[in-house]
Amino acid sequence: MLLPRAGGAARGWGGGGGGGCRPPLAALSQVLRLERSRRVGVVFPLQKLERYLAPGADTARFRLFQPGLAALQRAEALFRSGRDHAIDYVSSAVRMDHAPPPALPEVCFIGRSNVGKSSLIRALFSLSPEVEVRVSKTPGHTKKMNFFKVGKYFTLVDMPGYGYCAPQDFVEMVEAYLQERCNLKRTFLLVDGVVGLQKTDHIAVEMLEEFGIPYVMVLTKIDRASRGLLLKNVLEIQEFVKEKTQGCFPQLFLVSSLEFLGVHLLRCFVAHVTGNLPTVEAS
């Protein structure tokens, strides 16, 4: 869990105010100023739903990945560029022979068009504002694989969105990447937290399961869902993961790119699966 706060007040489920180019709560130092329950809700939003479960409900899948403050700070440092730690957009590719060499551990983010994928990646890189992550207002606009190099530690890939009549060449691009990318450590499958799993998401799950790709589900836009709807979707997807999948990490990750809920924890999980947190403290 997080250490005692440094002071400050809290507001409800959503994020606080703030100004300047850095979004509110983008840095852990900002989160630590909040009172404890608010702080936990920002870093571990899934745990905030526990109190609304029926008595005796299984909460194990709410707390499988629960790093301590040191691990969260180490992960944040990876996502903060510096003189000796560059975070750069590397290149875009429409075919695997255009992709950069698989020199570093890699993670990729996939999801339906308009699920908030590029916005989430921008939130992850918010402490390095020089990193340009294009966010389109037009669903399905991202047509290429975009590669971002995080120092000497790992590469993050923004994959094209699926759905909206994705062309066959897109399907072939993604399948080729998942099957051929030998340095791929984890795929992050983004699901809209308001509407839950859709038909196209099930197709993506089937593809990942067929190829034997380890993946994790991330529920986006949780600030737009009521507590009851979010809990319903979480429980339904948890049951689906338990009963219908083999390669999916049992814990869901809940995020809001707008209010930075869950972003710090997701940074830490990325650092963990790419081998950049030798030990992860669990409380």
Side-chain angles (χ1 to χ4, degrees):
M1 272 296 189
L2 296 179
L3 295 181
R5 68 188 175 102
R11 294 193 291 177
W13 181 269
C21 60
R22 176 180 296 173
L25 305 184
L28 276 170
S29 59
Q30 298 167 303
V31 178
L32 289 172
R33 297 189 182 101
L34 304 174
E35 56 89 18
R36 185 181 182 280
S37 64
R38 172 76 174 108
R39 191 169 70 247
V40 172
V42 171
V43 179
F44 302 102
L46 185 62
Q47 289 183 21
K48 189 161 185 175
L49 293 176
E50 279 190 56
R51 72 185 71 174
Y52 305 105
L53 295 173
D58 181 14
T59 61
R61 286 173 288 173
F62 284 73
R63 295 174 175 264
L64 292 175
F65 184 73
Q66 193 176 15
L69 180 58
L72 290 163
Q73 290 174 325
R74 167 60 178 160
E76 179 175 286
L78 292 174
F79 281 88
R80 188 191 299 272
S81 60
R83 184 177 61 182
D84 299 319
H85 178 59
I87 301 176
D88 299 310
Y89 161 78
V90 178
S91 65
S92 297
V94 295
R95 300 198 313 264
M96 285 305 297
D97 56 353
H98 292 168
L104 296 173
E106 196 159 277
V107 294
C108 76
F109 284 63
I110 67 172
R112 290 191 304 115
S113 299
N114 210 29
V115 76
K117 178 168 45 62
S118 296
S119 295
L120 176 57
I121 294 174
R122 186 170 62 176
L124 291 170
F125 287 137
S126 59
L127 299 176
S128 302
E130 74 279 4
V131 179
E132 182 181 1
V133 182
R134 295 180 179 178
V135 181
S136 173
K137 295 182 180 179
T138 304
H141 181 76
T142 303
K143 301 296 185 184
K144 300 178 180 180
M145 300 178 285
N146 298 314
F147 293 79
F148 300 88
K149 184 180 178 183
V150 180
K152 59 183 180 181
Y153 298 100
F154 64 91
T155 304
L156 187 150
V157 187
D158 181 6
M159 301 294 285
Y162 54 78
Y164 292 95
C165 301
Q168 183 62 29
D169 57 353
F170 155 75
V171 176
E172 293 174 354
M173 179 202 315
V174 175
E175 287 188 352
Y177 171 85
L178 293 174
Q179 287 183 296
E180 298 176 18
R181 201 65 172 171
C182 60
N183 59 330
L184 179 62
K185 299 302 181 183
R186 194 72 53 120
T187 293
F188 290 76
L189 175 59
L190 275 55
V191 176
D192 191 318
V194 179
V195 301
L197 283 171
Q198 302 294 295
K199 181 179 179 180
T200 47
D201 298 318
H202 284 278
I203 295 173
V205 168
E206 291 172 4
M207 179 173 61
L208 292 165
E209 291 284 336
E210 178 184 353
F211 297 159
I213 304 294
Y215 63 104
V216 59
M217 288 197 196
V218 180
L219 271 63
T220 64
K221 305 180 183 179
I222 65 170
D223 55 289
R224 299 185 184 181
S226 67
R227 185 175 62 225
L229 176 61
L230 184 59
L231 182 58
K232 172 180 175 291
N233 288 338
V234 164
L235 293 176
E236 288 180 353
I237 296 174
Q238 281 184 336
E239 186 65 19
F240 172 81
V241 169
K242 179 181 178 181
E243 299 295 333
K244 303 293 185 181
T245 71
Q246 294 183 339
C248 187
F249 187 67
Q251 178 180 317
L252 305 180
F253 288 80
L254 276 56
V255 297
S256 165
S257 303
L258 179 65
E259 301 182 351
F260 274 83
L261 308 180
V263 171
H264 303 278
L265 184 63
L266 195 62
R267 285 175 181 155
C268 200
F269 193 70
V270 170
H272 172 57
V273 298
T274 54
N276 290 298
L277 292 180
T279 59
V280 177
E281 299 177 14
S283 59

